[in-house]
Amino acid sequence: MASSRDTHAGPGREQLKALSTVLGHRPSVLATASGPTGTCLATPEAFCVLTTEVPASDAGQSGRGTWQVIGWENIQSGDWDNATKTLSWLLLDGTVGQIAVTTTDRLPGVFRERVRASILVEDTSEVSEGKGSVLIAGRRNPVADGPITWTAQPLKRTNMADPEVREHIVRRTAELRDEYEL
């Protein structure tokens, strides 16, 4: 039985050339995955997805597409479903994406590691008695010295619309900014 490494059919020369144009430099590829609807790859700074499905209005352009480059710091979470060979992800802005692949070349593990590497700090704090807790995270691209993006997630049954919860998030985020942003 062939392993996914043996049957790997990563991005072709033209696809990598197109990605180089988008990135502004030749990509350093850490891992790839390919399937019937596209290709994705991990670089140190970004998750790159090329879907080869084309809208009906572009009939005859099969195999063409545009690279979507997503900085690791913009990925809230991801999931690998081994049964369906599908990688899915949730961006900080709520956008959901997924790709079904037939070859993986270590991509699920590298994906998880790079998302984790983008987290500079995580802080769990209780709002007040009975109001729940929140997880505040500061994230930035793992290979750049760029700005920190701050996010807050409710834990358990915390109501993010509660004014006391919102005020706690603003206050605690300001404290973390003072500590981590120079």
Side-chain angles (χ1 to χ4, degrees):
M1 173 185 240
S3 73
S4 64
R5 203 134 169 84
D6 298 332
T7 60
H8 171 66
R13 183 181 310 235
E14 288 303 312
Q15 292 172 331
L16 286 174
K17 185 177 176 183
L19 179 57
S20 295
T21 300
V22 172
L23 293 174
H25 59 85
R26 185 175 174 200
S28 174
V29 179
L30 301 174
T32 64
S34 298
T37 61
T39 297
C40 57
L41 58 86
T43 71
E45 70 274 4
F47 178 60
C48 307
V49 182
L50 175 69
T51 53
T52 53
E53 290 181 328
V54 235
S57 62
D58 294 335
Q61 302 298 313
S62 181
R64 298 182 67 196
T66 304
W67 282 102
Q68 177 185 16
V69 178
I70 307 164
W72 295 112
E73 72 279 13
N74 295 312
I75 301 173
Q76 179 72 37
S77 61
D79 185 49
W80 170 249
D81 185 333
N82 198 46
T84 63
K85 303 289 189 227
T86 302
L87 179 66
S88 57
W89 57 92
L90 171 65
L91 301 184
L92 295 178
D93 68 5
T95 303
V96 176
Q98 72 174 31
I99 188 168
V101 297
T102 52
T103 62
T104 60
D105 184 35
R106 305 179 341 267
L107 187 78
V110 171
F111 181 96
R112 186 174 19 262
E113 183 275 327
R114 297 314 297 162
V115 169
R116 194 79 193 135
S118 75
I119 300 170
L120 178 64
V121 62
E122 286 183 322
D123 178 81
T124 300
S125 58
E126 187 172 337
V127 177
S128 65
E129 188 67 36
K131 293 283 186 171
S133 300
V134 292
L135 172 67
I136 298 173
R139 302 175 61 151
R140 73 171 162 211
N141 193 289
V143 297
D145 194 22
I148 298 172
T149 300
W150 295 94
T151 61
Q153 292 180 299
L155 300 176
K156 299 183 183 174
R157 295 188 176 147
T158 304
N159 179 359
M160 296 292 273
D162 183 311
E164 190 175 339
V165 172
R166 295 170 69 92
E167 195 254 279
H168 172 82
I169 291 169
V170 169
R171 183 179 61 251
R172 186 64 188 132
T173 301
E175 293 169 358
L176 291 168
R177 275 191 175 125
D178 287 345
E179 186 174 346
Y180 288 93
E181 293 182 6
L182 303 175

